[in-house]
Amino acid sequence: MFTRSELEIKTTAELKDLCRRYGLKPTGNAGYKVSYITSLMAFPAIALHQMNEGKGLRRLTFDAYQNIGTALDQMNSPTDE
């Protein structure tokens, strides 16, 4: 995901936007960059751990991918009108 040095050069507003994108809350006081950095650094490990335990997001089966593809093909694409 991100290295600590990549996160430390970002502004507090940019870190806040990243946390909002991934649905994360800052750890501690939201006024400090380190609160957002801590949450963003822990996010991938926690997500993988929950995935292995069967919580949260799950891996799709090949059949599910095919069904999604079929549904998208049937919906076609929007027109300019």
Side-chain angles (χ1 to χ4, degrees), residues 6-21:
E6 288 174 327
L7 294 172
E8 286 177 349
I9 61 173
K10 295 190 179 298
T11 64
T12 305
E14 290 172 324
L15 293 169
K16 186 176 183 177
D17 288 341
L18 279 173
C19 283
R20 192 175 312 131
R21 179 187 304 166

Side-chain angles (χ1 to χ4, degrees), residues 40-80:
L40 288 164
M41 291 294 295
F43 173 62
I46 293 170
L48 288 173
H49 179 69
Q50 287 179 346
M51 193 172 170
N52 288 334
E53 288 183 344
K55 296 180 186 175
L57 296 176
R58 294 187 180 95
R59 296 175 201 211
L60 291 177
T61 63
F62 183 71
D63 290 337
Y65 278 115
Q66 285 183 321
N67 291 336
I68 290 171
T70 302
L72 291 173
D73 288 341
Q74 289 178 4
M75 288 190 313
N76 209 348
S77 59
T79 62
D80 292 336

Side-chain angles (χ1 to χ4, degrees), residues 1-10 15 33-42:
M1 185 121 168
F2 298 102
T3 64
R4 185 165 192 91
S5 58
E6 288 174 327
L7 294 172
E8 286 177 349
I9 61 173
K10 295 190 179 298
L15 293 169
K33 284 174 62 169
V34 72
S35 299
Y36 294 102
I37 291 172
T38 303
S39 296
L40 288 164
M41 291 294 295

